[in-house]
């Protein structure tokens, strides 16, 4: 993705703002997913073909993770190391999601589609955050 495409997606050409926006978007989407898993673990478990206990645990984790990412996004100049931790956590989540679908879970069709889509979304967040971090570092050098 070119710098122009990245700036258009973030609706800013300022790499600092770009990074904060991609972190904030991640926090909002992840937080909404976590709250939905917590609030509707039974019906969502039935729809996705996974246990409600698994969704409750994932919901708690996602909600806490989203809060941390949101705090990082709220900083005027998020430090590179915590941003890299978020990027690596997102990549690990995406890989674990695909592995769980392939090796452990037997979800419904909706659950399999949801698992793949959320893995792609989370990997996309990681990519955008990493590109924005690199763009920010290039102007700081």
């Amino acid at each position: 993705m070119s710098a122009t495409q990245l700036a258009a997606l973030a609706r800013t050409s300022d790499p600092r703002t770009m990074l904060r926006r991609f972190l904030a978007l991640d926090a909002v989407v992840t937080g909404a997913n976590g709250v939905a898993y917590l609030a509707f673990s039974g019906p969502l478990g039935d729809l996705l073909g996974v246990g409600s206990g698994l969704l409750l645990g994932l919901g708690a984790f996602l909600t806490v993770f989203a809060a941390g990412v949101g705090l990082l996004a709220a900083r005027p100049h998020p430090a590179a190391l915590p941003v890299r931790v978020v990027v690596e956590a997102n990549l690990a989540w995406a890989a674990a999601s695909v592995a769980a679908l392939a090796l452990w879970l037997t979800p419904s069709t909706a659950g399999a589609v949801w698992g793949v889509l959320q893995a792609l979304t989370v990997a996309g967040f990681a990519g955008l955050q990493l590109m924005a971090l690199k763009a920010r570092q290039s102007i700081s050098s």
Side-chain angles (χ1 to χ4, degrees):
M1 179 177 287
S2 72
T4 304
Q5 291 170 318
L6 193 62
L9 187 60
R11 298 182 183 263
T12 181
S13 59
D14 176 31
R16 290 178 189 97
T17 304
M18 195 180 302
L19 177 59
R20 292 178 65 219
R21 285 184 180 170
F22 291 141
L23 288 167
L25 179 62
D26 185 356
V28 169
V29 171
T30 301
N33 199 27
V35 169
Y37 285 176
L38 287 170
F40 306 107
S41 61
L44 284 175
D46 292 341
L47 174 67
L48 302 175
V50 297
S52 62
L54 175 63
L55 289 183
L56 281 172
L58 291 174
F61 172 78
L62 291 174
T63 302
V64 170
F65 182 77
V69 175
L71 288 172
L72 186 59
R75 301 188 78 155
H77 188 79
L81 180 61
V83 172
R84 287 190 183 277
V85 168
V86 169
V87 168
E88 290 177 16
N90 280 339
L91 291 173
W93 180 272
S97 296
V98 172
L101 287 171
L103 302 173
W104 303 295
L105 299 176
T106 52
S108 65
T109 301
V113 170
W114 176 254
V116 171
L117 289 177
Q118 65 86 29
L120 290 172
T121 300
V122 172
F125 286 148
L128 291 171
Q129 292 158 355
L130 187 58
M131 285 187 283
L133 179 63
K134 287 180 179 184
R136 185 187 77 182
Q137 289 173 331
S138 72
I139 64 160
S140 300
S141 315

